[in-house]
Amino acid sequence: MSESQQGNARQQILLVAKQLFARQGYRGLSMREIAEAVGVSKAALYYHFKDKEQLLLAILDAYLDELETIIDGVCLECTDCRTQIQSFVEEILSQPVEQRSVIRLSSQEFTQLSDPARQAFYLSYHQKFIDKITAMIVRGMQKGEIRPMEPALVVWALLGIMYPYFYPSHVAEVMPTREVAQQISRIFWQGVANP
């Protein structure tokens, strides 16, 4: 198998496993089921990932890289905090539900990881996601756009408003359209904006 084919096989495994983890959770899924869903043997699956934990971590790490790129991008494109936050919300909610549900998956399945894996993921989660949103909020406070508050509380308030849209089951209730993303941003901003 060529390197290109190996890379494609790995990406296909990650894609299918992400969908299965989102639907069934970490405990409810076996490597055999993943292999069957991908259409490969268990040996082929284990060639790419030594175990289920390594597979989950690969999914989580890839999404953290994507989140970091999104946040860095909106911070470069937009000068004011309000526009950065609105762009961030729109970018996340415009993703397919299987993609954005990785945020929920990471928080729900975090305890299933071994201690070393949990520590490594926690560090990466903060560096690539939480700390970057916090920095955005702090810059907004420094510019006087956001009133002085505990930055961590502001970050969790923003993510808390978005959290229902990280569940696949909520898709049929309210589709996270651009208008919904803008409403979420307005609700958040009304609570934190400097009067």
Side-chain angles (χ1 to χ4, degrees), residues 174-188:
V174 182
M175 287 296 289
T177 61
R178 187 163 196 251
E179 291 75 27
V180 169
Q182 290 172 345
Q183 287 176 20
I184 287 171
S185 297
R186 278 196 297 274
I187 291 167
F188 170 77

Side-chain angles (χ1 to χ4, degrees), residues 91-153:
E91 286 274 345
I92 298 299
L93 296 189
S94 69
Q95 294 178 328
V97 68
E98 293 84 9
Q99 189 69 357
R100 65 180 184 270
S101 69
V102 175
I103 296 174
R104 174 195 54 81
L105 183 66
S106 67
S107 63
Q108 284 187 331
E109 305 298 352
F110 182 73
T111 58
Q112 302 298 319
L113 302 174
S114 64
D115 284 341
R118 195 165 40 238
Q119 290 170 9
F121 173 74
Y122 182 82
L123 183 64
S124 185
Y125 181 77
H126 277 269
Q127 288 176 340
K128 295 180 179 182
F129 184 48
I130 300 300
D131 293 352
K132 289 197 173 266
I133 301 172
T134 303
M136 191 189 320
I137 297 297
V138 168
R139 285 191 300 273
M141 289 179 187
Q142 290 168 345
K143 291 180 179 179
E145 297 175 74
I146 297 176
R147 63 178 181 265
M149 293 186 254
E150 175 57 47
L153 181 62

Side-chain angles (χ1 to χ4, degrees), residues 3-53:
E3 281 187 41
S4 174
Q5 289 172 317
Q6 287 179 7
N8 290 341
R10 182 180 169 87
Q11 288 310 310
Q12 183 63 20
I13 291 167
L14 289 170
L15 178 66
V16 171
K18 177 170 49 181
Q19 294 167 349
L20 293 172
F21 278 130
R23 274 183 266 157
Q24 296 176 230
Y26 184 78
R27 280 187 166 196
L29 190 61
S30 70
M31 290 292 269
R32 179 189 51 76
E33 290 171 299
I34 295 167
E36 288 173 2
V38 176
V40 298
S41 67
K42 276 178 66 177
L45 183 60
Y46 282 111
Y47 172 81
H48 293 283
F49 301 97
K50 73 174 185 174
D51 56 26
K52 191 166 68 166
E53 178 177 89

Side-chain angles (χ1 to χ4, degrees), residues 63 67 70-71 74 78 81-95 100 103 129 133 136-137 154-155 157-163 165-166 176-189:
Y63 192 58
L67 288 172
I70 289 170
I71 297 167
V74 300
C78 313
C81 187
R82 182 182 202 126
T83 309
Q84 289 173 353
I85 289 169
Q86 183 170 331
S87 295
F88 166 73
V89 172
E90 287 177 11
E91 286 274 345
I92 298 299
L93 296 189
S94 69
Q95 294 178 328
R100 65 180 184 270
I103 296 174
F129 184 48
I133 301 172
M136 191 189 320
I137 297 297
V154 178
V155 170
L158 174 62
L159 295 178
I161 295 170
M162 296 172 68
Y163 203 78
Y165 298 98
F166 302 152
T177 61
R178 187 163 196 251
E179 291 75 27
V180 169
Q182 290 172 345
Q183 287 176 20
I184 287 171
S185 297
R186 278 196 297 274
I187 291 167
F188 170 77
W189 201 258

